[in-house]
Amino acid sequence: MALPPSSPSVMLLLYFLLFWTFLLGGNGNGNGVVVAAASRSTALRFATEFDSASSRRILLNNGLALTPPMGWNSWNHFQCNLNENLIKETADAMVSTGLAALGYQYINLDDCWAELDRDSKGNLVAKASTFPSGIKALADYVHRKGLKLGIYSDAGIRTCSKRMPGSLGHEEQDAKTFASWGIDYLKYDNCENTGTSPKERYPKMTKALQQSGRPILFSLCEWGQEDPATWAVNVGNSWRTTSDIQDNWISMTTIADQNDKWASYAKPGGWNDPDMLEVGNGGMTIAEYRSHFSIWALAKAPLLIGCDIRSMDNNTMKLLSNKEVIAVNQDKLGVQGKKVHKYGDLEVWAGLLSGKRVAVVLWNRSLWRANITAYWSDIGLSSSTTVTARDLWEHSSQVVRHHLTAQVDSHDCKMFVLTPH
Ligand SMILES: *[C@@H]1O[C@H](CO)[C@@H](O)[C@H](O)[C@H]1NC(C)=O
Ligand SMILES: *[C@@H]1O[C@H](CO)[C@@H](O)[C@H](O)[C@H]1NC(C)=O
Ligand SMILES: CC(=O)N[C@H]1CO[C@H](CO)[C@@H](O)[C@@H]1O
């Protein structure tokens, strides 16, 4: 989509074309259409879930990801252009910007960190031209900063870039290598997978990691192909529910809807993963990035920054460092907020927090400014409840009853935490 962004009428035309394509052709999930019809029963299911929230428990017993993981990953901004200096500088920036103190702790390498060939003993080898000091030295550096190092491999013959080997058939050896280097997190992709079911390929790595002698957060990147939410809770700490995010509004909103479908499966220790953040990469407006960050936080998605934090602008920093929004994501109850009502392109998303509080996002996905209302009946509160509504982006509070209305700009959102009196 190489359209000049300075041409609003072209953009408008494009939105309408995509809208009609969506309505007529539908997409794989048909969310946009189905949700409108089903919104009442969604609200009911939502209320039922409130009751069972306290019975949530940890299933994969590695003690990790009790709240959604937070950190950074190289892929969205750098793709294969990563090297050890970039990673060290990113770790430095994570600390110096104050992001580390807000909870962003994982510094994650994605594809392209290794040589194409294993060594004579079959071990993975860091790419000599870009990681000459080796991964162990890098992990030591990152750990000295009080941060954690993540790495990437693939449940197939080779990774998606085809520039390094996958771990299929080498699970135990690779898990031991990662543990010996001091790795804290593994993103495990799905390319070149020989057609074997992910339900066979991924648990092999789960077991290998458990036997590696080091707690390693296991992030499944199976793209949602075989509905991992339904089986991965005993396999990994997070599982991708969609294909890769792109840095544009259509991709971000589509992925938000696809991920939403699996909300009831998320819990402490195991999270739905709608892919990493694009905030700060330049393809969306500030309003759109605010929506992206707010919905990801509400949906208890891993908050993995995908921009170059060494040179991010102030607006990006302001979005990524909103403590009150981060607190929603990291709330200990671990209930994934979801879409509970929809009036055309005007949506209400909500989820229960600890202390009987409720997080609400009013999201304007239309092209025009609009008022959006969340009724208590849609968000699990009894209609007589009085609440203090805290606006997490304006940092202001008001007392309201029965419903909450706010004017929301196009593609923007308002995010609140409601505390019942
Ligand atoms: C960005 O923030 C820094 C530090 O708060 C400040 O010094 C600088 O003037 C800001 N830049 C802009 C363009 O607002
Ligand atoms: C939203 O509601 C307020 C108060 O009723 C009103 O002044 C404003 O014009 C409304 N905005 C839109 C876009 O309808
Ligand atoms: C593209 C577009 O429709 N932008 C509109 C966004 O909403 C604001 C007000 O909410 C309008 O001023 C823009 O024209």
Side-chain angles (χ1 to χ4, degrees):
M1 292 207 306
L3 289 168
S6 55
S7 165
S9 58
V10 175
M11 286 309 283
L12 211 63
L13 179 67
L14 184 71
Y15 279 130
F16 280 113
L17 275 177
L18 281 162
F19 177 70
W20 284 110
T21 312
F22 177 73
L23 267 195
L24 297 175
N27 66 6
N29 294 286
N31 278 313
V33 182
V34 173
V35 170
S39 57
R40 281 292 155 192
S41 61
T42 304
L44 285 179
R45 279 205 306 277
F46 187 64
T48 318
E49 244 167 67
F50 279 8
D51 304 334
S52 66
S54 58
S55 66
R56 284 158 189 280
R57 61 198 178 91
I58 306 145
L59 289 169
L60 179 72
N61 209 8
N62 65 6
L64 299 172
L66 300 183
T67 60
M70 294 174 66
W72 175 90
N73 173 291
S74 55
W75 185 259
N76 283 358
H77 192 84
F78 296 97
Q79 288 87 48
C80 276
N81 300 314
L82 71 170
N83 60 63
E84 63 184 35
N85 286 334
L86 165 69
I87 303 305
K88 286 181 179 175
E89 287 170 15
T90 298
D92 296 347
M94 200 62 112
V95 174
S96 66
T97 56
L99 288 171
L102 292 170
Y104 294 96
Q105 58 171 341
Y106 289 100
I107 305 289
N108 293 350
L109 310 180
D110 208 285
D111 203 348
C112 306
W113 60 268
E115 295 287 2
L116 180 57
D117 295 316
R118 291 170 179 270
D119 71 11
S120 59
K121 292 178 184 147
N123 294 312
L124 290 168
V125 186
K127 197 169 176 182
S129 59
T130 48
F131 292 89
S133 314
I135 304 298
K136 173 85 170 72
L138 191 58
D140 290 346
Y141 183 93
V142 167
H143 290 154
R144 277 199 297 274
K145 298 247 139 194
L147 301 169
K148 297 180 185 304
L149 188 71
I151 208 157
Y152 166 98
S153 188
D154 186 287
I157 310 278
R158 277 182 301 185
T159 64
C160 297
S161 70
K162 299 187 171 55
R163 296 189 200 176
M164 53 177 273
S167 293
L168 192 65
H170 297 265
E171 290 86 357
E172 281 179 33
Q173 184 171 15
D174 291 353
K176 286 209 175 80
T177 300
F178 298 149
S180 74
W181 286 343
I183 292 294
D184 304 295
Y185 182 117
L186 173 65
K187 172 177 173 179
Y188 203 42
D189 216 336
N190 196 27
C191 285
E192 307 267 316
N193 63 41
T194 70
T196 313
S197 166
K199 296 178 194 173
E200 283 181 39
R201 289 178 287 117
Y202 283 84
K204 286 200 176 122
M205 185 53 91
T206 308
K207 207 169 151 199
L209 290 173
Q210 278 172 336
Q211 293 170 351
S212 73
R214 186 176 173 87
I216 298 178
L217 193 155
F218 189 28
S219 159
L220 279 66
C221 182
E222 182 263 11
W223 317 322
Q225 287 195 336
E226 292 197 25
D227 301 344
T230 62
W231 54 268
V233 73
N234 290 311
V235 179
N237 298 105
S238 66
W239 45 87
R240 282 275 299 280
T241 52
T242 71
S243 54
D244 284 8
I245 192 169
Q246 307 292 323
D247 187 17
N248 64 66
W249 169 257
I250 298 290
S251 167
M252 186 272 286
T253 52
T254 304
I255 277 180
D257 287 344
Q258 287 171 350
N259 185 66
D260 185 44
K261 181 172 161 188
W262 305 106
S264 63
Y265 293 90
K267 47 181 65 74
W271 308 102
N272 290 308
D273 177 5
D275 207 2
M276 303 166 302
L277 298 167
E278 291 285 8
V279 177
N281 279 332
M284 291 184 246
T285 65
I286 294 173
E288 290 168 347
Y289 281 142
R290 182 169 24 250
S291 297
H292 178 21
F293 192 66
S294 301
I295 291 291
W296 261 236
L298 181 86
K300 302 296 191 281
L303 296 181
L304 296 172
I305 299 171
C307 71
D308 185 352
I309 60 171
R310 300 170 307 170
S311 60
M312 64 185 161
D313 61 22
N314 289 3
N315 288 324
T316 301
M317 179 62 188
K318 212 171 155 189
L319 293 175
L320 296 174
S321 64
N322 186 317
K323 280 185 190 168
E324 297 187 82
V325 175
I326 291 172
V328 169
N329 180 258
Q330 296 293 302
D331 182 73
K332 63 177 193 285
L333 191 60
V335 172
Q336 178 172 334
K338 58 190 187 184
K339 184 168 358 196
V340 296
H341 204 81
K342 183 171 157 59
Y343 316 84
D345 284 337
L346 308 180
E347 301 184 346
V348 179
W349 293 57
L352 189 66
L353 300 174
S354 56
K356 297 195 160 68
R357 295 168 306 142
V358 181
V360 178
V361 174
L362 306 178
W363 194 7
N364 180 0
R365 289 165 63 160
S366 82
L367 293 174
W368 300 278
R369 181 178 294 168
N371 286 319
I372 307 180
T373 298
Y375 291 97
W376 283 189
S377 54
D378 289 328
I379 62 174
L381 292 172
S382 74
S383 64
S384 60
T385 309
T386 302
V387 306
T388 296
R390 174 76 176 169
D391 183 326
L392 306 190
W393 289 109
E394 294 295 328
H395 306 296
S396 63
S397 299
Q398 56 177 311
V399 173
V400 285
R401 288 187 67 193
H402 185 254
H403 66 269
L404 173 68
T405 300
Q407 180 169 281
V408 189
D409 284 348
S410 166
H411 288 193
D412 210 338
C413 76
K414 295 266 186 182
M415 186 166 189
F416 299 89
V417 168
L418 311 187
T419 306
H421 288 186

